[in-house]
Amino acid sequence: MKPFETYPGGKGADGVYQTIINQLPFHDVFVSGFLGNCAIMRYKSPASVNIGVDADQTVIEAWEILNNSPLAPASSVLHQANQLDLLCADFFEWSEKNLNAWNFPDCLLYLDPPFLKQSRKSTADIYIHEMTVRDHERLLALALSVKAMVAISCYDNALYADYLKKWRKIKFVGKSRAGAVEETLYMNYPEPAKLHDYRYAGSNFTDRQRIKRKVERHIEKLKRLPEQERNAILHEMALSFS
């Protein structure tokens, strides 16, 4: 389920949200700074605290309606009101006033802002709250100054490449209303050794299915063992791979 049926720049296409989630290290707090239809918030496992910020009141209202829907999957961040804070606010103002809520190493700040107009196929306004070049510079300066783990989605461009030249980045094929596009994810942390969510492990659908079947086979083998023997194996595995 999603707050909006469609949303410009959404990450809900198959292969897109999985790619991004596979780059997210374990975290206690998750902040989606430009919430929109945030597929990452919807599809990844919840953190202990989850915060969605958007300047558009209709976005927050749509999330609140969905969050209270009996159809929302109980396993998702939706339907867990004690874990999800939705805030209608300008991200810059909110982030500066609430540093103690997110600016620490165990927080993951995911930013999917309105993409720099010069990097789009069309420079027409598509969001109620667009961003100027100066806004993007302000966002990049903020991202460079914080203690939190930060991941930023964009169409790659000279401005971001210059500001974030020391950051790790990956490129992948995304989908827009105009068709397939190359998207970039910039990260201020190394490739994670421990993922927050392993459900989408794999480079594509076939690879994800292969890994899923392998995991299921190992689990079934363990289930068939006597309990003490199974626990001995799990204990040794925990010691070996902790």
Side-chain angles (χ1 to χ4, degrees):
M1 296 183 68
K2 47 192 174 181
F4 299 92
E5 188 62 32
T6 62
Y7 198 87
K11 301 296 183 290
D14 189 52
V16 175
Y17 67 88
Q18 295 98 328
T19 296
I20 295 175
I21 291 173
N22 283 341
Q23 295 292 326
L24 304 184
F26 181 79
H27 49 275
D28 288 328
V29 175
F30 180 76
V31 177
S32 179
F34 297 84
L35 184 61
N37 214 23
C38 194
I40 309 308
M41 177 81 88
R42 289 184 284 115
Y43 285 115
K44 80 173 189 68
S45 295
S48 298
V49 176
N50 306 275
I51 302 171
V53 183
D54 202 289
D56 186 348
Q57 182 65 43
T58 61
V59 168
I60 301 303
E61 289 174 356
W63 274 84
E64 288 175 340
I65 290 171
L66 182 57
N67 192 48
N68 293 322
S69 169
L71 299 178
S75 61
S76 74
V77 68
L78 303 172
H79 234 19
Q80 300 182 34
N82 62 320
Q83 294 185 333
L84 177 59
D85 293 326
L86 299 169
L87 305 166
C88 182
D90 174 84
F91 174 72
F92 296 111
E93 294 180 2
W94 175 84
S95 62
E96 291 170 359
K97 292 179 180 178
N98 297 276
L99 284 175
N100 292 335
W102 66 274
N103 189 25
F104 47 86
D106 290 337
C107 174
L108 177 60
L109 174 63
Y110 175 63
L111 301 173
D112 186 18
F115 288 175
L116 187 71
K117 281 190 176 182
Q118 291 85 336
S119 69
R120 303 180 198 168
K121 290 183 178 180
S122 171
T123 58
D125 288 354
I126 56 175
Y127 299 101
I128 293 177
H129 300 278
E130 287 283 1
M131 288 176 61
T132 65
V133 173
R134 180 69 189 96
D135 291 331
H136 282 279
E137 290 176 336
R138 186 181 177 191
L139 182 66
L140 293 166
L142 171 68
L144 287 167
S145 70
V146 302
K147 301 174 183 176
M149 297 177 287
V150 184
I152 306 178
S153 287
C154 68
Y155 294 149
D156 214 358
N157 58 81
L159 180 67
Y160 276 60
D162 181 46
Y163 268 84
L164 306 179
K165 54 181 173 288
K166 294 184 179 180
W167 287 29
R168 185 171 65 94
K169 70 177 179 179
I170 63 167
K171 293 179 180 290
F172 57 93
V173 176
K175 294 181 181 178
S176 72
R177 295 179 179 182
V181 291
E182 184 180 71
E183 294 199 28
T184 298
L185 183 71
Y186 278 97
M187 294 151 283
N188 69 346
Y189 49 84
E191 185 172 359
K194 180 184 287 188
L195 296 179
H196 186 81
D197 190 337
Y198 288 94
R199 290 175 299 160
Y200 309 108
S203 58
N204 52 43
F205 177 78
T206 301
D207 199 32
R208 288 193 292 273
Q209 291 299 107
R210 177 188 64 81
I211 294 171
K212 181 179 180 181
R213 288 192 294 268
K214 181 180 286 189
V215 170
E216 290 172 347
R217 286 197 299 271
H218 283 300
I219 290 174
E220 286 305 313
K221 287 181 181 179
L222 286 168
K223 284 181 177 179
R224 291 195 293 268
L225 294 174
E227 185 176 7
Q228 192 175 77
E229 184 177 345
R230 178 173 64 245
N231 289 339
I233 293 172
L234 293 174
H235 174 74
E236 290 301 319
M237 289 178 65
L239 291 177
S240 298
F241 298 104
S242 61

